[in-house]
Amino acid sequence: MNLIARLYDVNSSEPRVVIHRDDCKELGVKQMDRVKLEAVSSQVIVVSISDTVVNKGEILVPMSVMARIGAKDKQKIKVSYSPKPESVKSIRKKMDSLKLTKEEINEIVFDILENRLSNIEISAWLTALYINGMDNEEISNFTQSMVATGEKIEFDRTPVFDFHSLGGVPGNKITPIVVSIVASAGLMIPKTSSRAISSACGTSDFVEVFCPVELEASKLKNIAETAGGVLAWGGSMNIAPVDDMVIDIEYPLGINPRAQMLASILSKKLALSATHLLVDIPMGTGTKVRTLEEAREYARDLMELGNKLGIRTECAITYGDQPVGNAIGPAPEARECIRILEGAAHPASVIEKACDLAGMILEMGGIPDGPSKAREILSSGKALAKFREIVEAQGGRKGITSEDIKIGKFVHDIKAVRAGYVHSINNKDLVTIARTAGAPADKGAGIILHRKKGQRAEKGEILFQIYADNQAKADRAKDIAIRLEPMDIEGMLIKKVPNPPALKGI
Amino acid sequence: MNLIARLYDVNSSEPRVVIHRDDCKELGVKQMDRVKLEAVSSQVIVVSISDTVVNKGEILVPMSVMARIGAKDKQKIKVSYSPKPESVKSIRKKMDSLKLTKEEINEIVFDILENRLSNIEISAWLTALYINGMDNEEISNFTQSMVATGEKIEFDRTPVFDFHSLGGVPGNKITPIVVSIVASAGLMIPKTSSRAISSACGTSDFVEVFCPVELEASKLKNIAETAGGVLAWGGSMNIAPVDDMVIDIEYPLGINPRAQMLASILSKKLALSATHLLVDIPMGTGTKVRTLEEAREYARDLMELGNKLGIRTECAITYGDQPVGNAIGPAPEARECIRILEGAAHPASVIEKACDLAGMILEMGGIPDGPSKAREILSSGKALAKFREIVEAQGGRKGITSEDIKIGKFVHDIKAVRAGYVHSINNKDLVTIARTAGAPADKGAGIILHRKKGQRAEKGEILFQIYADNQAKADRAKDIAIRLEPMDIEGMLIKKVPNPPALKGI
């Protein structure tokens, strides 16, 4: 059937064409079926049916698809029914808990990339992955397919070190410190990071407070090869783009299937030609990994997968029961991070975690006594100099200092309503409060903790402060903070046991 | 935040509002998140983000949603972030293979009805149902929630008989015959049917060849109470509407989760106040049910669920390895069906199946020797008279005959390329051919079989004919028929075994 193509100026996560109901009947096409469009070149795409927004004989085509098939507004194009892609059968196979071949996985990945699978089908795929999982051979194939969907960056230097945190613990601002230490020691670490999805602040969210993070591949390569380190946003390059496409589906479902997560991490490292990788696995209530057993399992899988893919991988299981350091949110974390590079002695948890992890990377690079070497580089000021070199190379201010970072002007103090010890801190509640205050979009928004676990507060003393860039969000965050009570304060005496207890039970 | 509502005239299976990217940042809203709209009344709805089709300060609102909140084009409305509905947690629970409570199931069903769940979430729900299933208590609660989403029809007469086929076997045109026989015997059977989703022809698709099937509830009630039988399309009433909403998601995935299927069947019967139900379970390769064990399991579940819901349920496991009768497609099936009511002796498979099933219903209604009583009613002409009464009451031609039915004018004969016996007939291939010929949208399109399983054909004799309403579709169907070879013809000698075989293996 020939239809007149009309430009359809809707920017959606899922490009579709719109065809009149009568033409659909004629084509034998139902809602969510696919058609093949043919002009200069061809494309298969999902159909929406309408009898109001499109006339009979016409087809609404999004701009990106017009460009792809080489057609213009009001041009006649050939439209025909296109059967479901074969990859839908492979999704069914995973629903039935069967193992997929390399080719089947590759087809699914490329059909997502080319918009041949609809959001409904991708959602079914992720749900099946979440429930039925993949073995390491499948994950390894999955990773390689994801790498093949995008750009691969090759460096003139080798080895290439990399670092990744599974996340889930707020305030984890160690990346710029780790990268600066490792690069100071002469190893190359071209680190790409992500932005927050459901957290209060991703690494790229706070790094961009002091320098641009959207680097082109050639610039990233150049900075890494000269400075030895880089602090880029992974999303700015065309690296494993399919991964970003599925995040749009994972987020509303609130799932991150293990196989998808592992393939996602490793595909980005593989695309950046990493030869050595350290993975930080924060463990604790409120993080992604709850128990030591689970953490060990992730570590085993990551190391096995790394081996299969030619990346020497080590893992560090770290303490994740409460935030790392005291600051949460873009500017607060940026300031705390730079202060430590400048030589501040607190918060100790940030220094310890950064130096221990940087030390592991140094040892992977053949430098003995890694952790103490890392502390030496940090305290000598070499890490700060390297950090400033990287920031300047990425287009940030020359000689950046922590004084340059401005945090939110609208502040609320949250005080202890009784005296006692902080027994627990709820990571998720803190994230909710920081996000309500505006993080990560409002750079000044976040939280500064004045007490951490095990510390004592008297009644009326500040437990934490909320910072925001506008009054309304500060107020809303305060209301939520009072309702959630993210810090649990108790006396040292938890529960009285009456004597003799035996009498009561009878 | 207040935004100016602008009418958004897009008719989609999933209503959404479109908000400018900057306003979304301000609201803290991501793609697929939800907002609450407030004007005269309020509604929660999924958000699409755009920076091209909507201006800052405006929100695009579909017509249906405008009406619901009582707002007009260019009116200022209040827009605020709305958290994920609780039912998303229940979907996660089912992903984790946990049992859902009555309340959790009810929330999911009503959140689908009210468009509070996005297609992505519904897809995850159906996938989780497909993989992890439900026990009968959950299915019973699910059924009752689905009934509660729509209209319920109460009759002045009782008992109310009903009939359902699980489907999957082409040419299954027995429903008008069963209904006419049962109603002739004085029992009331207000039968609602469906249209084809992926098959060549649903019951409503061929019934509407000779009379309207879109009846309002009051008309259905009236015809059922006076004539005793009715042949309506279930989709014309507001019965368990959520079921139709999920079919839009099931279809592209090609799944029909067992729990969803059972709840779907029973909710429609319950909404029509059925007290007695017969379910036909066609069994065989190419149908939904492959083995006797599986068929028995369906039967057990249906009877147990029927009991829980107060519907006395019986099941018939029927032969489904090849089409029922010879005709496939709307007009071909309508003609064959009416011919049998008129007294034709062939095809015997249609007569046998219709009379045996009608007989079971008669026996449920206390009429002894059901199958022979059914044959008597059919051969006496009483069933034909009742059929004509129903057709006329629904608005069809008075005194309808099989001569009134016109089948497609464009015909291709598919002939045997060698002599032999029909060893197997592939149901799915026949469906593909009939759909390519235009069924079910083109009423004249379909297939007439000249041979069935076990019958002999000489080389050059017609195996089946393709009918279509236009030449292009007839030609395309012929090409596919030649490629698929849906009938497998073999000599009586399947395989020669060379002698002495023992020597070869050594």
Side-chain angles (χ1 to χ4, degrees):
Chain A
M1 175 184 283
N2 287 314
L3 296 173
I4 308 290
R6 299 302 307 259
L7 201 59
Y8 180 47
D9 192 16
V10 165
N11 181 16
S12 149
S13 65
E14 182 182 40
R16 289 199 191 176
V17 291
V18 186
I19 305 179
H20 192 275
R21 188 172 305 278
D22 294 347
D23 290 330
C24 285
K25 262 198 178 157
E26 188 62 27
L27 285 163
V29 163
K30 287 200 159 52
Q31 184 85 10
M32 310 281 182
D33 272 348
R34 272 151 276 250
V35 288
K36 187 177 179 187
L37 311 181
E38 291 172 85
V40 179
S41 57
S42 70
Q43 158 135 32
V44 168
I45 188 161
V46 175
V47 175
S48 277
I49 300 176
S50 172
D51 30 32
T52 58
V53 298
V54 64
N55 296 319
K56 248 185 98 164
E58 293 184 351
I59 178 171
L60 302 185
V61 182
M63 199 140 21
S64 59
V65 178
M66 281 279 201
R68 203 129 168 200
I69 60 171
K72 276 183 230 140
D73 193 31
K74 300 187 188 171
Q75 182 183 326
K76 192 171 275 190
I77 61 174
K78 193 177 164 198
V79 180
S80 55
Y81 172 78
S82 177
K84 259 188 238 282
E86 282 296 302
S87 59
V88 174
K89 283 189 197 151
S90 307
I91 294 174
R92 281 287 299 278
K93 214 174 142 186
K94 187 44 79 183
M95 285 191 207
D96 291 330
S97 202
L98 299 170
K99 182 168 175 167
L100 300 183
T101 66
K102 190 179 173 71
E103 291 68 34
E104 287 166 338
I105 292 170
N106 201 50
E107 230 174 22
I108 291 172
V109 168
F110 274 84
D111 282 346
I112 294 174
L113 181 74
E114 302 287 346
N115 288 308
R116 283 189 291 260
L117 287 171
S118 71
N119 281 347
I120 286 172
E121 288 149 349
I122 300 170
S123 172
W125 163 241
L126 293 170
T127 305
L129 263 197
Y130 175 84
I131 300 175
N132 290 332
M134 271 183 169
D135 69 17
N136 280 349
E137 191 186 338
E138 287 174 292
I139 298 175
S140 167
N141 289 329
F142 190 20
T143 305
Q144 286 171 312
S145 291
M146 296 228 286
V147 171
T149 62
E151 204 167 344
K152 197 162 185 254
I153 300 178
E154 313 267 4
F155 295 94
D156 296 340
R157 288 172 62 176
T158 188
V160 179
F161 293 86
D162 213 333
F163 166 62
H164 183 84
S165 175
L166 290 197
V169 55
N172 196 22
K173 75 259 322 150
I174 62 165
T175 295
I177 308 170
V178 170
V179 167
S180 301
I181 292 172
V182 171
S184 292
L187 306 180
M188 186 176 70
I189 180 165
K191 175 80 181 97
T192 62
S193 303
S194 55
R195 296 187 194 277
I197 297 174
S198 54
S199 74
C201 179
T203 293
S204 291
D205 293 314
F206 81 83
V207 171
E208 72 181 347
V209 170
F210 50 78
C211 69
V213 295
E214 305 200 6
L215 308 180
E216 282 181 12
S218 59
K219 189 160 186 189
L220 175 137
K221 181 168 145 59
N222 188 261
I223 298 174
E225 287 172 355
T226 53
V230 71
L231 294 165
W233 174 50
S236 59
M237 283 150 291
N238 185 31
I239 290 172
V242 155
D243 190 47
D244 299 318
M245 295 171 82
V246 301
I247 284 173
D248 285 348
I249 316 283
E250 288 179 323
Y251 169 72
L253 298 175
I255 59 170
N256 188 356
R258 180 191 180 82
Q260 176 70 41
M261 179 177 128
L262 293 170
S264 163
I265 294 168
L266 290 165
S267 63
K268 286 175 179 171
K269 304 310 174 192
L270 204 58
L272 275 147
S273 303
T275 56
H276 295 71
L277 171 65
L278 176 67
V279 181
D280 167 27
I281 305 176
M283 189 201 89
T285 50
T287 70
K288 287 175 193 166
V289 180
R290 307 291 168 94
T291 64
L292 191 59
E293 193 31 62
E294 216 186 317
R296 282 201 179 119
E297 218 180 289
Y298 268 112
R300 269 196 303 271
D301 280 346
L302 280 161
M303 291 189 286
E304 190 187 321
L305 284 166
N307 279 345
K308 270 185 196 291
L309 296 163
I311 305 175
R312 184 174 154 68
T313 303
E314 294 192 4
C315 296
I317 299 171
T318 59
Y319 181 72
D321 259 347
Q322 64 175 344
V324 179
N326 298 327
I328 299 168
E333 294 196 36
R335 192 176 66 174
E336 189 171 277
C337 170
I338 300 177
R339 279 182 180 166
I340 283 170
L341 284 159
E342 288 169 346
H346 296 282
S349 59
V350 181
I351 300 171
E352 272 176 37
K353 184 167 178 184
C355 289
D356 285 346
L357 295 189
M360 284 181 76
I361 300 175
L362 297 186
E363 289 179 357
M364 287 171 89
I367 297 169
D369 294 329
S372 56
K373 180 73 185 165
R375 280 176 177 76
E376 191 189 309
I377 292 172
L378 179 61
S379 60
S380 70
K382 281 185 203 158
L384 177 64
K386 181 55 77 180
F387 171 75
R388 286 178 171 157
E389 180 188 347
I390 295 168
V391 168
E392 200 187 331
Q394 290 191 197
R397 176 188 287 208
K398 193 175 154 88
I400 184 101
T401 75
S402 56
E403 300 293 311
D404 296 326
I405 311 295
K406 302 295 171 221
I407 65 175
K409 269 181 262 169
F410 300 87
V411 187
H412 279 299
D413 297 341
I414 304 297
K415 294 173 180 168
V417 291
R418 60 182 166 276
Y421 294 85
V422 177
H423 270 253
S424 68
I425 297 185
N426 188 314
N427 284 337
K428 284 196 176 162
D429 289 348
L430 288 179
V431 168
T432 303
I433 295 163
R435 286 179 73 97
T436 306
D442 298 352
K443 291 300 179 195
I447 290 172
I448 306 278
L449 301 173
H450 286 232
R451 290 289 185 283
K452 301 223 21 202
K453 270 175 86 167
Q455 294 181 334
R456 184 172 172 85
E458 299 307 325
K459 185 176 171 181
E461 283 185 343
I462 297 176
L463 294 174
F464 61 92
Q465 292 177 298
I466 295 167
Y467 288 83
D469 287 344
N470 78 52
Q471 190 66 55
K473 289 188 189 177
D475 293 349
R476 231 183 298 151
K478 181 190 170 191
D479 291 346
I480 286 179
I482 288 168
R483 186 160 56 75
L484 291 177
E485 286 196 62
M487 284 193 192
D488 189 23
I489 308 250
E490 300 272 1
M492 287 305 282
L493 179 67
I494 307 281
K495 190 174 166 30
K496 286 187 186 174
V497 183
N499 184 4
L503 290 178
K504 281 208 152 175
I506 301 164
Chain B
M1 174 184 283
N2 287 316
L3 296 172
I4 308 289
R6 299 303 307 260
L7 201 60
Y8 181 47
D9 192 16
V10 165
N11 182 17
S12 150
S13 64
E14 180 182 41
R16 291 200 190 173
V17 291
V18 186
I19 304 179
H20 192 276
R21 188 172 304 278
D22 294 348
D23 291 330
C24 285
K25 260 198 180 160
E26 189 61 30
L27 284 163
V29 162
K30 287 200 160 50
Q31 183 86 9
M32 309 281 183
D33 272 348
R34 273 151 275 250
V35 289
K36 186 177 179 187
L37 310 181
E38 291 173 84
V40 178
S41 57
S42 69
Q43 159 135 30
V44 168
I45 189 160
V46 174
V47 175
S48 276
I49 301 177
S50 172
D51 32 30
T52 58
V53 297
V54 63
N55 296 319
K56 247 187 100 163
E58 292 184 350
I59 178 171
L60 302 185
V61 182
M63 199 140 23
S64 59
V65 178
M66 280 280 200
R68 202 130 169 199
I69 60 171
K72 276 182 232 143
D73 193 31
K74 300 189 189 168
Q75 183 183 323
K76 192 171 274 190
I77 60 173
K78 194 177 161 196
V79 180
S80 55
Y81 172 78
S82 176
K84 259 188 238 279
E86 282 297 303
S87 59
V88 175
K89 282 188 197 152
S90 307
I91 294 173
R92 281 287 299 275
K93 214 174 142 183
K94 186 47 78 185
M95 284 190 207
D96 291 329
S97 202
L98 299 169
K99 182 168 175 168
L100 300 183
T101 66
K102 191 180 171 71
E103 292 68 34
E104 287 166 340
I105 292 170
N106 202 51
E107 230 174 23
I108 291 172
V109 168
F110 275 83
D111 282 346
I112 294 173
L113 182 74
E114 302 287 346
N115 290 309
R116 281 188 293 258
L117 287 172
S118 71
N119 281 348
I120 285 172
E121 288 150 349
I122 299 171
S123 172
W125 162 242
L126 293 169
T127 305
L129 263 196
Y130 175 84
I131 300 174
N132 290 332
M134 272 183 169
D135 69 19
N136 279 348
E137 191 187 339
E138 288 175 291
I139 298 175
S140 168
N141 290 328
F142 190 21
T143 305
Q144 286 171 312
S145 292
M146 295 227 287
V147 171
T149 62
E151 205 169 343
K152 197 162 186 252
I153 300 179
E154 312 267 5
F155 294 94
D156 297 341
R157 288 172 62 177
T158 188
V160 179
F161 294 86
D162 212 334
F163 166 62
H164 183 85
S165 175
L166 291 198
V169 56
N172 195 23
K173 75 272 304 163
I174 62 165
T175 295
I177 308 170
V178 171
V179 166
S180 301
I181 292 172
V182 172
S184 292
L187 306 180
M188 186 176 73
I189 180 164
K191 175 79 180 98
T192 61
S193 303
S194 55
R195 297 187 194 278
I197 297 174
S198 53
S199 74
C201 179
T203 294
S204 291
D205 293 314
F206 81 82
V207 171
E208 73 180 348
V209 170
F210 49 78
C211 68
V213 295
E214 305 199 6
L215 307 180
E216 281 180 13
S218 59
K219 189 161 186 188
L220 175 137
K221 181 167 145 60
N222 188 261
I223 298 175
E225 286 171 356
T226 54
V230 72
L231 293 165
W233 175 47
S236 58
M237 283 150 293
N238 184 32
I239 290 172
V242 156
D243 190 48
D244 299 318
M245 295 171 81
V246 301
I247 285 173
D248 285 349
I249 316 284
E250 288 179 323
Y251 169 70
L253 297 177
I255 59 170
N256 188 357
R258 180 190 181 83
Q260 176 70 41
M261 178 177 130
L262 293 170
S264 163
I265 295 167
L266 291 164
S267 63
K268 285 175 178 170
K269 305 309 174 191
L270 205 58
L272 275 147
S273 303
T275 56
H276 296 71
L277 171 65
L278 176 68
V279 181
D280 166 27
I281 305 176
M283 190 199 89
T285 50
T287 71
K288 288 176 193 165
V289 180
R290 309 287 170 95
T291 64
L292 191 58
E293 193 32 61
E294 216 185 318
R296 282 201 177 117
E297 218 180 289
Y298 268 111
R300 269 196 303 271
D301 281 346
L302 281 161
M303 291 189 286
E304 189 187 322
L305 284 166
N307 280 344
K308 271 185 196 291
L309 296 163
I311 305 175
R312 186 174 151 66
T313 303
E314 293 192 4
C315 296
I317 299 170
T318 59
Y319 180 74
D321 259 347
Q322 64 175 343
V324 179
N326 298 326
I328 299 168
E333 294 196 38
R335 192 176 67 174
E336 190 171 274
C337 171
I338 300 176
R339 279 182 180 166
I340 283 170
L341 284 159
E342 288 168 346
H346 297 283
S349 59
V350 181
I351 301 171
E352 272 176 38
K353 184 168 178 182
C355 290
D356 286 345
L357 296 188
M360 284 182 75
I361 301 175
L362 297 186
E363 289 181 356
M364 288 171 87
I367 297 168
D369 293 330
S372 56
K373 180 72 185 164
R375 279 175 177 74
E376 193 189 307
I377 292 172
L378 180 61
S379 60
S380 70
K382 280 186 203 157
L384 177 64
K386 179 56 78 182
F387 171 75
R388 286 178 170 157
E389 180 188 346
I390 295 169
V391 168
E392 200 186 332
Q394 292 191 194
R397 174 188 290 208
K398 193 176 155 88
I400 183 101
T401 75
S402 56
E403 301 292 311
D404 297 325
I405 311 294
K406 302 295 172 224
I407 64 174
K409 269 181 264 171
F410 301 87
V411 188
H412 279 298
D413 297 341
I414 305 296
K415 294 174 182 169
V417 291
R418 60 181 164 276
Y421 293 85
V422 178
H423 271 253
S424 68
I425 297 185
N426 188 313
N427 284 336
K428 286 198 174 160
D429 289 348
L430 289 179
V431 168
T432 302
I433 295 162
R435 287 180 72 99
T436 306
D442 297 353
K443 291 302 179 195
I447 290 171
I448 307 277
L449 301 174
H450 287 233
R451 289 289 186 284
K452 299 212 39 191
K453 271 175 86 167
Q455 293 181 335
R456 184 173 172 83
E458 298 308 323
K459 185 176 171 182
E461 283 185 343
I462 297 176
L463 294 174
F464 60 94
Q465 292 176 299
I466 295 167
Y467 289 83
D469 287 345
N470 78 53
Q471 190 67 53
K473 289 187 191 178
D475 294 348
R476 231 182 300 152
K478 181 191 169 190
D479 291 345
I480 286 179
I482 288 167
R483 187 161 53 78
L484 291 177
E485 287 195 61
M487 285 193 192
D488 189 22
I489 308 248
E490 300 273 0
M492 288 305 283
L493 178 67
I494 306 281
K495 190 172 164 37
K496 286 188 187 173
V497 183
N499 185 3
L503 291 178
K504 282 206 149 177
I506 301 164

